[in-house]
Amino acid sequence: MSDALKHECGIAQIRLLKPLEFYKEKYGSAFYGVNKMYLMMEKQHNRGQDGAGFASIKLDTNPGDRYISRVRSIAQQPIQDIFAQINDRINKEMQEHPEYKEDVALQKKHLPYIGEVLLGHVRYGTFGKNSVENVHPFLRQNNWMHRNLILAGNFNMTNVNELFDELVRIGQHPKEMADTITIMEKIGHFLDDAVAKKYKQLKKEGYSKNECSPLIAERLNVAKILKRSSKNWDGGYAMAGLLGHGDAFVLRDPAGIRPVYYYKDDEVVVIASERPVIQTVFNVPFEDVEELEPGHAIITKKSGEVCIKKIIEPLERKACSFERIYFSRGSDAEIYQERKTLGKLLMPKVLEAIDNDTKNSVFSYIPNTAETSFFGMIETVEEHLNKKKTQAILDGNGKLSAERVTQILSERPRIEKIAIKDVKLRTFITEDSSRDDLVAHVYDVTYGVIKPTDNLVIIDDSIVRGTTLKMSIIKMMDRLHPKKIVVVSSAPQIRYPDCYGIDMARLEDLIAFRAMLELLEENNKYHLVQEVYEKCKAQVELEDKDVRNFVKDLYSQFSAEAISSKIAELISDKSVKAEVVTIFQPVENLHKACPKNLGDWYFTGNYPTVGGNRVVNRAFINFYEGNKERAY
């Protein structure tokens, strides 16, 4: 994607079901779980490179022995930094105490980070806050083992203000109004309540204070705690948590917006944001890795018992389509095919844009996530050419010379690597004209392969803000002097803000929105903007369930093609000599390509939760009033 998007995160949870001695004997190391967690986090680095965190819990420790370890980093390579810290600490302990080397019991007692329950998280910075305090996992500490809570997630809540107020009403004093803190304190509140009730009940049954602790761990109903905690949550989330005594859970939102996959055998329970991560790290086949159903939690008790529980009544499944288009690893078998299909479905429009002149067209892609869609597009070009060749030979009625047949058969799609992304350039000069020149050089191009009679077709996975296209890619492509530049997006036009964990907070940042405003101006319809503003203002005090998305009314004034044409104008200034055309994926084709991930609110404004309409309502009010604050 030429316009960088952030916020998406990755989670990884491992529960070792055997004693650590088992892994030492079978795999040669009691650090089996730590090593696997490193691989799982590293293979999800596509989901977050601004920060990473790791936490572990040791089971059945003696009072006085440390049983929780946590390390977080915002270093330039945070995953490597975390595990370098872990490695250095363990090696130092091993050097000072050589007796630990072959004794797993001593390792567990004295070495940090080694444990049976592990949680990892990778993240992109949220709202510009990227201090280590904002990095997951978060830890809520307590002297009662059961009340310790470690939480990490891939999520964003639309109603954090409401959730914050609920905490205040029950007597808490949260340290900040952030959704992670709010969610953790909400779960923590009901965890405290459940532990206190179990303790009181056990005392009534005649158990001593000391006898109560293991029985609380055994009887604690994690599903009930999650049901009470999540009652009023509105958002997209995959929430992973560990309790101090060893229970673990991962909860998925009821619309299935954020992804969760899991695998279980008699040695481990593994949960991650992506299927191929589990497949690769644990060497298991596709069919053995299961998807957690929306509204459900996978819960692993301290005893090792694993169950799937329905926590929230599932909504209509609206799994995020951007996961498939951009964020998730393309090595997933289904995602790979879906991305290829996205490219294939675009070809009829592409062929129309180049007047079927494949001979004088060069096909390429914006590196790197558009590459798979590009393969699908090229397969369709080849099918088109094969039909054309077959017809040419049939039209010859057997009278073509061998030379002519060879000439017909030799036509191939012209494929070139045109765009080259350089290392991330630092735009450290703030003066506008200098900064623009630096941005323009984020991409370079391959010279000498384009003729002045050529069309240049270049596919990107999506076009969000259009900034990099305008400032860098289009200008660099134009230096090659093509006749026409056809910019193809494997995703539809992104028209609405996201509020479930991807950084699309302001309407005016979206190039489709700016194109629509320009069309309103040109067609003497800009008065509709004020009318929609007044409708949005009238909804401010309504309950979320009653709020409508009136921004749709503005887009409905124009066809998708008209908006695409205006986007083409906006991404090419007067210095660009080639004709520029933009082609976007129709929403119906997106649904054909990604039939299990129908969450399309970015493109249609059909939000999967009631909080979505309130967010777009606030985003439009902010735009109209010139307020640069985020809508959530």
Side-chain angles (χ1 to χ4, degrees), residues 157-170 174 177 179 182-183 186 229-234:
M157 297 296 173
T158 71
N159 63 335
V160 67
N161 292 352
E162 178 190 331
L163 297 173
F164 181 90
D165 291 342
E166 284 179 8
L167 290 175
V168 174
R169 280 197 297 274
I170 61 178
M177 193 183 287
D179 49 10
T182 307
I183 294 301
K186 192 80 182 288
S229 305
S230 61
K231 189 175 179 182
N232 296 318
W233 292 357
D234 188 283

Side-chain angles (χ1 to χ4, degrees), residues 573-616:
D573 60 30
K574 292 178 181 177
S575 68
V576 176
K577 294 181 174 59
E579 179 189 352
V580 177
V581 175
T582 58
I583 295 173
F584 289 85
Q585 189 79 254
V587 173
E588 54 270 25
N589 281 354
L590 174 68
H591 292 169
K592 285 179 190 173
C594 308
K596 296 179 184 176
N597 284 54
L598 300 177
D600 60 8
W601 57 91
Y602 313 89
F603 321 114
T604 65
N606 298 328
Y607 288 91
T609 76
V610 293
N613 284 344
R614 180 173 49 77
V615 168
V616 73

Side-chain angles (χ1 to χ4, degrees), residues 140 147 149 166-167 169-172 182-196 225 228-229:
R140 187 179 191 263
R147 295 186 181 186
L149 173 63
E166 284 179 8
L167 290 175
R169 280 197 297 274
I170 61 178
Q172 289 197 20
T182 307
I183 294 301
M184 184 171 68
E185 293 301 338
K186 192 80 182 288
I187 297 172
H189 169 76
F190 289 109
L191 173 62
D192 288 346
D193 184 58
V195 170
I225 293 167
R228 297 179 74 192
S229 305

Side-chain angles (χ1 to χ4, degrees), residues 19 206 215 249 274 334 339 365 371 387 446 475 488 498 537 540 546 558 561 612:
L215 291 170
F249 66 85
E274 305 214 20
E334 288 183 342
R339 288 181 181 174
Y365 62 92
E371 187 175 6
K387 288 177 184 175
T446 302
K475 290 184 176 181
V488 185
D498 178 62
K537 286 290 282 186
V540 168
D546 298 320
F558 308 104
E561 289 74 19

Side-chain angles (χ1 to χ4, degrees), residues 467-510:
T467 309
T468 310
L469 273 173
K470 181 172 184 174
M471 300 306 300
S472 179
I473 295 170
I474 298 296
K475 290 184 176 181
M476 297 300 281
M477 300 293 163
D478 195 52
R479 291 184 183 184
L480 304 177
H481 309 298
K483 176 179 67 176
K484 181 187 285 189
I485 301 171
V486 181
V487 182
V488 185
S489 169
S490 71
Q493 295 167 5
I494 297 168
R495 299 180 169 194
Y496 301 93
D498 178 62
C499 51
Y500 305 114
I502 294 175
D503 188 11
M504 299 181 196
R506 288 188 287 265
L507 275 166
E508 62 268 31
D509 288 346
L510 306 177

Side-chain angles (χ1 to χ4, degrees), residues 347 349-361 363 455-457 483-484 486 583:
M347 272 317 295
K349 282 192 170 187
V350 172
L351 290 170
E352 185 182 329
I354 61 173
D355 297 322
N356 291 304
D357 186 5
T358 52
K359 192 171 185 178
N360 292 299
S361 297
F363 298 89
N455 302 302
L456 174 53
V457 178
K483 176 179 67 176
K484 181 187 285 189
V486 181
I583 295 173

Side-chain angles (χ1 to χ4, degrees), residues 315-327:
L315 302 171
E316 182 183 359
R317 181 187 165 96
K318 290 291 183 181
C320 173
S321 56
F322 240 107
E323 290 281 349
R324 321 299 277 188
I325 295 167
Y326 176 59
F327 278 108

